Every structure is written in structure tokens, then in C-alpha cells.
Amino acid sequence: MPGSKSDQCERSSGAGSPTQSCVYKLPKRNLSLSDAGTYYCAVATYVTQTERIVQPDLLVTAELGDDVTLQCFYPRDQTSYLSWYKQTVGQNPELISSSYKHSQDVLFYNGFKDSPRFTVHGGEGRNHLTISNLQPSDSAMYYCGRTQVNKLEFEKGIFLILKGSKSKNRTVVQQPVSEPVQPGDSVTLQCTIDTETCAGEHSVYWFRRGSGESSPGVIYTHGNSSDQCERSSGAGSPTQSCVYKLPKRNLSPTDSGTYYCAVATCGEILFGNGTKLELGKQHC
């Protein structure tokens, strides 16, 4: 009888959880009449838990006033305490909540302690954070953490962007790629923001959504990029124009997708309209 045949399985990951397809074969040679009959295949398998925290969505976009749930899954047998942290662009992380995995009681901290808009739903390997009636200040990175033997671990986090927070005087424009590109080429993606002058620093993020992906993932951050802006003053209020570039060299088919530029400035995050990058056939 075949034993472990995990080497005959191929893993594939799509929009949901990773899956695998397995094919098992039973060779029958030099057949005789005694081999006639019905053959049944039985597979003994078992489910293993994830060994780390999983936040399936790297980027979540929502409108002002919406309710949103940020998902977090954790290994039940290897976790003692759970927590949520919020990191607004340019600021230190803030502790939102903490809980013991076997308890329904959740403790909230800082400004979240008296806010009914934040709730945590736990149990059975889940530690989901729900934010209701979204406000502009909710745009941030959210990290789900777990503690095991005095060790605090995090995943990559979820970037929550509020699309309804755009201002008439602040827009992000992304230019399309002017020429077709092939594998091995180089291209520079660009986005421009025209905004009223405001105090404080701002940061720039680039996201990419590949074919078949449910949501874009963060691929690059500029940090403080105020040195890439030029100020101009006219008859009206002073304005500044900022141009941010993302060079892509030695392109391969995996670079295909739609690239989004997001700029955190003046207390809000502005989301660009996206630049589609399609790779044609390789040069002969």
C-alpha cells in the first residue's frame, strides 16, 4: 500500500486560502480474470493549523461612514494573548485591544477605550476587528498580534484607506504607460499630486494588484517625500505640485498588473486612479 504521498501533490494559491491538488495512481500489470472488479480509492488526510498569524487582506478600501471588519486568524494551540495595534502614517503604533484567547473579555486602550465604534470578535482561531461609522482618522495600518511564551508576533498588517476622504483641492493623478513594454524592458511609473500647502510631512505608498488577486499589496513606500515637491504661489492660495516615481527594471511577466499610488498628506490619504502595466511578447 502507498504510504505518505505528499510528494505527488501540487500546491496552488489563489484569491482565497492555499489549496493543493493530488493525483494517486495504482498500476496494474499482466491482468487476469481475477483482477476484474470495482476499485475504490480512499485517502486518509488531516488538517493542520497555521503556525503563524494570517491577515488575508493587505489592503482594504472603504467609504466614510461604512462599517468594515479586518480579519485575523491565529494558531489556537500556540497562542496565549491577542492584540490589535493601529499605526497612523508618521506616528508610533497605538495599542487598540488585548484579550486572552479563552476569554470573551476584550480590553481596549488609549482613545479606543471609550469608543463604541471599535469591537473585537474572537474565538475558534479568529480575532477580527470591526470599525463602524468610519472616520478620516481611521485611515492607517492595522496589525494583529499574538503572544506565545512572552514572544509578541505580528503579520504584515492591513492598510485601511478611506476613498471618501478626498478633498476638492487635493488630487492624485497617475499617467498611463505611453509605450508597450516587453520582458526585460525598464519603465518608470509616475504619479502627481497637486495640493494646497499644509504643515507636516507626508508619505507615499505604491500598491500592485496582479491578475486574479482580490486586493492590491503594498510593494514600496517612499517615507517622507516633501523634498520632491515644488511650491508655487499665485493669485490664490499657495499650492505645491509633487511628482513621485517608481522605477521598474528588467521586467518579467510577474510584474504585470495595476499599480496604485497613495499619498498621505494633510491628515488624509489620497488614492490614485491606477496605472495598468501589461507586458507583451519578448523581443525576438
Side-chain angles (χ1 to χ4, degrees):
M1 293 178 62
S4 174
K5 293 294 183 179
S6 56
D7 57 336
Q8 299 182 359
C9 300
E10 295 183 357
R11 297 184 180 276
S12 61
S13 57
S17 303
T19 61
Q20 63 179 5
S21 177
C22 307
V23 177
Y24 304 105
K25 298 178 181 180
L26 176 65
K28 298 288 291 179
R29 299 180 178 90
N30 194 21
L31 292 174
S32 66
L33 293 176
S34 61
D35 292 312
T38 303
Y39 290 78
Y40 298 90
C41 174
V43 179
T45 185
Y46 59 92
V47 178
T48 58
Q49 296 187 69
T50 176
E51 296 182 355
R52 60 181 178 82
I53 280 186
V54 175
Q55 291 182 256
D57 300 312
L58 297 179
L59 175 68
V60 173
T61 57
E63 302 284 345
L64 284 173
D66 284 353
D67 297 344
V68 68
T69 296
L70 308 181
Q71 293 186 324
C72 171
F73 300 91
Y74 65 90
R76 286 173 287 175
D77 295 338
Q78 304 173 26
T79 303
S80 299
Y81 290 91
L82 300 157
S83 56
W84 274 98
Y85 287 81
K86 172 187 177 182
Q87 184 176 26
T88 304
V89 175
Q91 299 184 16
N92 294 327
E94 288 184 280
L95 178 60
I96 299 175
S97 66
S98 67
S99 59
Y100 181 57
K101 70 171 184 177
H102 292 308
S103 174
Q104 297 296 322
D105 296 329
V106 180
L107 297 178
F108 289 89
Y109 303 87
N110 303 308
F112 311 99
K113 186 175 182 180
D114 300 318
S115 175
R117 296 194 304 112
F118 291 81
T119 55
V120 173
H121 310 278
E124 298 300 323
R126 297 187 304 271
N127 184 44
H128 300 342
L129 173 67
T130 296
I131 309 174
S132 59
N133 188 22
L134 287 170
Q135 305 298 312
S137 60
D138 294 326
S139 289
M141 289 288 297
Y142 291 84
Y143 297 95
C144 177
R146 64 143 177 164
T147 302
Q148 178 193 11
V149 193
N150 297 326
K151 180 181 178 182
L152 182 59
E153 297 179 349
F154 295 96
E155 247 301 310
K156 295 180 180 179
I158 300 173
F159 198 166
L160 175 61
I161 291 182
L162 302 186
K163 298 171 66 175
S165 62
K166 289 186 178 180
S167 168
K168 293 181 180 179
N169 298 320
R170 302 185 183 100
T171 57
V172 174
V173 177
Q174 293 184 235
Q175 301 296 332
V177 177
S178 58
E179 298 180 358
V181 291
Q182 285 80 29
D185 286 353
S186 297
V187 69
T188 298
L189 306 181
Q190 161 177 318
C191 77
T192 304
I193 176 173
D194 293 313
T195 175
E196 292 179 347
T197 302
C198 60
E201 300 175 349
H202 57 273
S203 301
V204 180
Y205 298 83
W206 284 92
F207 304 86
R208 184 183 74 90
R209 173 180 284 165
S211 177
E213 294 178 357
S214 58
S215 62
V218 180
I219 60 171
Y220 187 76
T221 62
H222 282 289
N224 178 22
S225 300
S226 57
D227 57 339
Q228 300 181 4
C229 302
E230 295 182 357
R231 299 180 185 277
S232 62
S233 58
S237 302
T239 61
Q240 63 180 1
S241 177
C242 309
V243 178
Y244 302 106
K245 299 179 180 180
L246 178 67
K248 299 288 292 180
R249 300 180 178 89
N250 193 20
L251 293 170
S252 68
T254 58
D255 293 311
S256 296
T258 302
Y259 290 76
Y260 297 91
C261 173
V263 180
T265 179
C266 302
E268 61 184 351
I269 298 179
L270 308 179
F271 210 41
N273 54 321
T275 300
K276 193 171 184 180
L277 182 61
E278 291 183 310
L279 269 66
K281 295 182 179 180
Q282 191 150 8
H283 293 300
C284 298

